[in-house]
Amino acid sequence: MADTTAEQAVERVITLMRENLDEQLTVDDMARTAMFSKFHFSRMFQRVTGVSPGRFLSALRLEQAKRLLISTSYNVSDISLRVGYTSVGTFSSRFTRSVGLSPTTYRRQRGVTAEIRTGTPGYATGAPHAMVSGIIRHSRPSPRRRLIFAGLFRDRIPEGSPVACAVLREPGPFLIERVPPGMWYLLMHSVPKGAEATRNDDQTEVATCGPIAVRPGAAIEGCDALLQPARRLDPPVLLALLDVRTAALEETAALEETAALEVALG
């Protein structure tokens, strides 16, 4: 009962956030909506969602900006105001850092990217890396083509560059190589072709594993996950998603190259 009450309170606050993205909401405003003290509310929100209220609100603002860039003709300055930023420069820099593309590039590419770069600033490239493996399953079959993205991040919001990642074209075993040592969250999401720029709980599937303590040179096994429809309590996926069409073309080209090689070898 206690968990249900906490989730209901957090859902009320998330509704408040979504309906007031252009307002400067404070933790006091959120706590009043949740009907708890500020300190108890902050701890409860973190426990239920995995991130602080401020981080969640920031993610919702950028998520809405992604929608507006794809679905409207508003300029970047107008969009920044509609999602609560008073400085278009601050908005653009935060959007680029979290999504991996600038607002104008994100709009031009219709919300998708041909690649997701990885990296860990300050990590010595010669130091021993680790591997993380497991099995990803869907909670339900999907008739539409999907890519499954699995990336290791510093916290529970999939934004910016993952420290390492893998992309699957179907559910099953995965292996993420060249993982630097540290404490990481394994975040996974899957979106069908054509739904990359919208958050539809009936289409977006997410999963989380971690935190995972990774030591130099270790082989971490058993990071299994079940992809399930995104809930309102799940932090938004901020980084630009991989283009399913590009991946399909690359896969077709690779198959054709393999077939041609087999024919040449007799």
Side-chain angles (χ1 to χ4, degrees):
M1 178 65 70
D3 285 345
T4 300
T5 300
E7 289 188 0
Q8 290 173 342
V10 170
E11 285 211 36
R12 289 199 300 272
V13 173
I14 291 174
T15 297
L16 173 73
M17 292 178 178
R18 291 183 181 277
E19 293 176 350
N20 296 275
L21 292 177
D22 60 339
E23 300 292 334
Q24 299 305 309
L25 291 176
T26 67
V27 176
D28 287 321
D29 297 327
M30 300 176 198
R32 279 194 294 272
T33 298
M35 295 184 290
F36 288 101
S37 72
K38 178 170 66 175
F39 300 106
H40 179 71
F41 162 71
S42 295
R43 290 193 298 270
M44 178 183 67
F45 194 99
Q46 177 91 31
R47 176 171 58 81
V48 170
T49 67
V51 298
S52 69
R55 289 291 312 282
F56 203 102
L57 175 58
S58 178
L60 287 179
R61 285 173 167 154
L62 293 178
E63 177 191 49
Q64 177 67 357
K66 289 170 65 177
R67 286 199 191 98
L68 294 174
L69 284 165
I70 296 300
S71 62
T72 74
S73 59
Y74 297 137
N75 61 40
V76 173
S77 179
D78 288 339
I79 289 174
S80 69
L81 291 173
R82 286 173 178 270
V83 297
Y85 285 86
T86 56
S87 165
V88 66
T90 299
F91 164 72
S92 294
S93 63
R94 289 185 181 174
F95 187 98
T96 302
R97 184 172 67 247
S98 295
V99 178
L101 301 172
S102 70
T104 53
T105 302
Y106 185 86
R107 168 172 275 169
R108 185 174 66 250
Q109 296 183 187
R110 301 296 300 169
V112 296
T113 182
E115 64 174 346
I116 293 178
R117 297 179 179 178
T118 61
T120 311
Y123 177 68
T125 56
H129 287 78
M131 297 184 298
V132 172
S133 64
I135 299 175
I136 299 176
R137 296 183 175 87
H138 279 302
S139 61
R140 58 186 183 183
S142 173
R144 300 177 63 183
R145 180 180 179 83
R146 292 175 176 264
L147 288 182
I148 302 171
F149 171 84
L152 291 160
F153 294 84
R154 295 184 184 278
D155 59 31
R156 282 275 285 105
I157 294 182
E159 63 178 333
S161 297
V163 298
C165 66
V167 177
L168 285 72
R169 289 173 173 78
E170 59 185 7
F174 72 90
L175 173 64
I176 302 179
E177 300 180 287
R178 297 188 60 77
V179 179
M183 189 72 71
W184 313 117
Y185 284 89
L186 177 60
L187 306 178
M188 290 149 273
H189 64 258
S190 178
V191 180
K193 179 181 179 299
E196 296 90 348
T198 61
R199 181 176 172 118
N200 185 320
D201 289 351
D202 292 330
Q203 300 182 57
T204 302
E205 295 184 338
V206 298
T208 303
C209 182
I212 303 168
V214 177
R215 300 184 305 276
I220 310 296
E221 301 177 341
C223 296
D224 301 343
L226 181 67
L227 284 163
Q228 302 190 73
R231 306 174 304 156
R232 286 174 56 84
L233 299 173
D234 292 318
V237 175
L238 293 185
L239 77 164
L241 304 182
L242 284 169
D243 188 350
V244 175
R245 294 162 298 179
T246 299
L249 291 173
E250 291 176 351
E251 182 179 27
T252 300
L255 291 173
E256 291 176 349
E257 182 178 349
T258 299
L261 181 59
E262 290 175 349
V263 170
L265 293 176

